[in-house]
Amino acid sequence: MTIRALFFDIGGVLLSNGWDREQRAVVAAQFGLDATDFGERHKLAVPELELGRMTLDEYLEQTVFCHPQTFTRDEFRAAMEAQSTPHEGALALARDLATRHRLYALNNEGRDLNDHRIRTYGLSDFLLAFFTSSTLELMKPNPAIYRAALTLAAVAPHEAVMIDDRAQNTEAARRVGMHAIQYKNAAQLREELAALGVE
């Protein structure tokens, strides 16, 4: 078996999640938002944000600044961005793998936050391209996003590995013929990659 490409999720694998339930709860509490109102507004707006059909400013206008606030957009965005933290073990492993293999990102995220995370953590130093929901206008676990990433990377499904922390996303990758690993920690990932012949 020859593996020619590794596809990494970003949130939950290389970094913490960017704007998931836990991050939203922290920031909502920090700024004293009505959690129910914010949650309902987020639920309606986030698919458009992650599919690239809404900017982060437009998302904030619909979810936070639809009410008068005592803080600014810049303050809120800074708090959002501060929720991102590195998974040092996974980053170190990915940087090492990139010296011998082709690595790509395949993730769901809004464009603004995704760009911030790529710049802040130097992800473009070792990932060759970013196949992101907000660019492709497709979201995992839709099989079409995996097929699009494979086409753009010019690899066959059986030559690729999807690394993701969510079972639903790894299951979807397997259904299109990719190998897939549900990420738990860097040591487990290294071991499962080795079993696929990726050293």
Side-chain angles (χ1 to χ4, degrees), residues 8-16 87 90-91 163-165 183 189:
F8 278 80
D9 187 24
I10 295 178
V13 179
L14 297 173
L15 308 177
S16 64
H87 290 177
L91 284 170
I163 300 154
D164 200 296
D165 62 316
Y183 176 84
L189 175 57

Side-chain angles (χ1 to χ4, degrees), residues 41-85:
R41 289 173 177 275
H42 166 83
K43 190 188 308 180
L44 293 173
V46 75
E48 298 303 302
L49 177 71
E50 293 193 344
L51 285 167
R53 299 195 290 242
M54 181 183 286
T55 67
L56 182 55
D57 280 340
E58 290 165 340
Y59 165 84
L60 292 177
E61 183 66 33
Q62 290 195 19
T63 58
V64 178
F65 294 94
C66 46
H67 307 295
Q69 303 293 359
T70 59
F71 50 87
T72 67
R73 276 181 177 73
D74 286 346
E75 289 169 332
F76 196 88
R77 282 184 68 143
M80 288 179 72
E81 292 171 354
Q83 298 306 304
S84 293
T85 56

Side-chain angles (χ1 to χ4, degrees), residues 9-11 15 18 49-50 56 77 81 84 105-121 123 127 129-135:
D9 187 24
I10 295 178
L15 308 177
L49 177 71
E50 293 193 344
L56 182 55
R77 282 184 68 143
E81 292 171 354
S84 293
L106 178 50
N107 67 313
N108 292 342
E109 194 157 60
R111 187 170 289 121
D112 303 79
L113 190 54
N114 196 60
D115 289 348
H116 164 76
R117 283 149 63 85
I118 291 168
R119 286 193 312 272
T120 301
Y121 295 101
L123 303 185
L127 295 171
F130 295 85
F131 304 129
T132 304
S133 60
S134 51
T135 301

Side-chain angles (χ1 to χ4, degrees), residues 13-32:
V13 179
L14 297 173
L15 308 177
S16 64
N17 286 317
W19 193 233
D20 213 339
R21 185 177 297 107
E22 298 83 5
Q23 292 77 29
R24 294 195 307 275
V26 168
V27 175
Q30 179 181 337
F31 288 96

